[in-house]
Amino acid sequence: MVRADTERKPDAKLVAAMANGDAHALKALNARYGASLSALAFRFLADQADAEEVVADVLWQAWREAALYDPARGSVAAWLVAMSRSRAIDRFRAIRARRLAPGIGEPNPEATPDPADELDSAERGRIVKHALETLDPKQRELLELAYFSDLSQTEIAARLALPLGTVKTRMRAALLKLRQMLSGLPE
Amino acid sequence: MDHAELEDLLALAALGRLDAPDEAALEAHLREGCAQCEAELRALREAAAALALSLEPAPAEQRLWLKLKARLDQSLPQASPAGRFSAPEVGERQAQSAERPTAPRASRPAGHERYDAALRRTPRVWPWRVATGMAAAAALVLAFFAGGAAREFGRIDRQRRLRIAQLEKQALSLSSERSAARTQAVRLEQALNRRARLQSVLMASDAHMMHLKPLGPAPGARALVAMSATRRSAVIQAAGLPPTPAGKAYEMWWITKQHGPVPAGIFHAETGREVIASIDPPPSGERLLMAAVTLEPAAGVAKPTGRMYLKAPIPAN
Ligand SMILES: [Zn+2]
């Protein structure tokens, strides 16, 4: 009964419950985002164990800092994604510094969807994928290159053989378009 | 850099791809308070997050939960009794203060005692001094915070963060006492973050404060609720409530003209400790009649069933 109630709560309420020390809420947040965040971290690390370590660290940080989450500054999803991406990049750089790093930006290999995953996140993923498919392929490539790689803006411009100014303008147009297509997405 | 150039940085900023000089320029611009850029950046960050979450999920949920569960078990003062799993209320009732680990005292080195003593000396409950200085009858008050108060908060926060860092260092160096020190560090950090949240709500330009007054079951109890519509946040700070009985929780209510009691979240009280808990802000656009705290079953209920411990009537304005 308690569990069922927790699963239906909006993300922000889960985080508030975490701030008040409710471990069920942490479990529910993991059910909603753990799998997707692991896929994100995997894009950078190309190693499932490393990716999961990063996501466990992120969710643990969310547990410790739940009281600091500020809904006025953005969604819980954006908060978790930003932490995951930055931790994944840090770990990628640390690994690269130690030895030859695995490739990045490769397509996600054998990850298969888990039927136990929250319907919410599956539904969200489906909507976003559809939006990405309707995006101009060039815009999509640009976004993915910017987001799922460790390249700087200058390196992106160099790789695409475009002036930096053009990269910036196109990036903004692409992301604004994606945002517009997703504007109906539930929180 | 002109405004158009700055706007072009927003997408890269949302994607975390800005070079340092551009990042500094954009930050300076946002600090000057450009609401337009700030709103766009927020929207673009959401789009970037959606992009990130569009990947095929990895089947990691169960393994992740095992990792998190292990950390929770380590940071809980003692093993959670079956069916009672919520962190702060478990086991800490015997402790005198939040910051004291409940590992067996015999096994703890002398250093811990000094930490404990130092923690007990920490100035406590800053906002209460503000609260008690205000007329209790004025139930809905605009919060006012001078710069001095902000600096004082900052100083206390820095001291506490320093202690957390010390504790974490200690946790790493003392393998046998590792989990006790880690317990202490995590719990102290959580308490500190709740306080920081309260502080940030109090400092919001549209902050409101409300005093809740005690009723029969706990005549010595008192509470302050701070809320801010712009921060979409509310926090309750309470003291003098009896420790939460097993299987129960305190539940906060907004009582509105349209919907009667609306649940605003649950929290727990422990002996000799003040409580700081995040609660839902009042429903927007509804006429508030009253705020109240009742004692309810641990999971919370949709409408109040238990005794009322605190309440504040809200004057029409
Ligand atoms: Zn601007």
Side-chain angles (χ1 to χ4, degrees), chain A residues 11 21 23 41 53 59 69-71 92-93 102 106 109 140 153 163 186:
Chain A
D11 289 350
E53 203 55 41
L59 292 169
Y69 165 69
D70 180 356
F92 168 74
R93 288 179 185 160
E106 302 302 328
R140 185 181 169 168
Q153 55 187 40

Side-chain angles (χ1 to χ4, degrees), chain B residues 54-300:
Chain B
S54 70
L55 297 171
E56 202 65 61
E61 181 191 331
Q62 292 309 319
R63 286 190 300 274
L64 284 170
W65 177 240
L66 289 177
K67 281 182 206 277
L68 292 168
K69 183 76 172 53
R71 295 189 199 187
L72 280 171
D73 288 345
Q74 225 176 5
S75 74
L76 291 177
Q78 65 190 37
S80 315
R84 193 104 193 272
F85 183 41
S86 188
E89 72 271 27
V90 174
E92 216 192 33
R93 215 151 290 131
Q94 306 93 312
Q96 302 289 337
S97 103
E99 291 83 6
R100 274 168 71 174
T102 50
R105 302 197 71 80
S107 71
R108 302 165 64 227
H112 276 280
E113 305 296 340
R114 286 199 300 275
Y115 275 114
D116 289 355
L119 290 168
R120 279 194 297 273
R121 282 196 306 272
T122 305
R124 285 188 150 260
V125 207
W126 224 103
W128 281 115
R129 262 184 261 160
V130 179
T132 48
M134 299 170 78
L140 203 61
V141 200
L142 208 66
F144 52 92
F145 261 76
R151 275 194 299 279
E152 177 69 3
F153 269 134
R155 191 181 61 75
I156 293 170
D157 273 11
R158 276 192 300 281
Q159 286 173 353
R160 290 180 179 215
R161 301 265 175 214
L162 200 63
R163 278 192 205 104
I164 291 169
Q166 285 170 338
L167 287 166
E168 276 170 350
K169 205 169 155 195
Q170 190 183 23
L172 288 172
S173 64
L174 293 168
S175 60
S176 65
E177 286 304 317
R178 203 173 151 161
S179 65
R182 180 179 292 171
T183 297
Q184 193 175 356
V186 170
R187 296 174 60 71
L188 180 55
E189 184 182 11
Q190 287 178 315
L192 179 60
N193 288 339
R194 283 193 286 267
R195 187 180 299 277
R197 172 59 170 268
L198 172 66
Q199 174 193 336
S200 81
V201 172
L202 282 169
M203 304 285 248
S205 56
D206 65 338
H208 282 69
M209 281 201 299
M210 186 195 302
H211 295 268
L212 271 60
K213 287 188 281 187
L215 296 166
R222 61 210 189 278
L224 168 76
V225 169
M227 53 200 161
S228 155
T230 58
R231 314 275 316 223
R232 292 187 232 168
S233 296
V235 178
I236 182 169
Q237 181 177 39
L241 283 172
T244 320
K248 298 279 186 181
Y250 289 103
E251 188 158 8
M252 171 85 198
W253 303 93
W254 300 116
I255 293 136
T256 73
K257 192 159 193 274
Q258 292 89 332
H259 291 103
V262 178
I266 60 172
F267 61 90
H268 296 273
E270 293 159 48
T271 308
R273 260 196 84 182
E274 106 253 334
V275 181
I276 299 179
S278 292
I279 52 175
D280 297 339
S284 58
E286 291 193 29
R287 163 88 194 283
L288 262 188
L289 302 176
M290 200 164 89
V293 171
T294 60
L295 189 65
E296 302 293 350

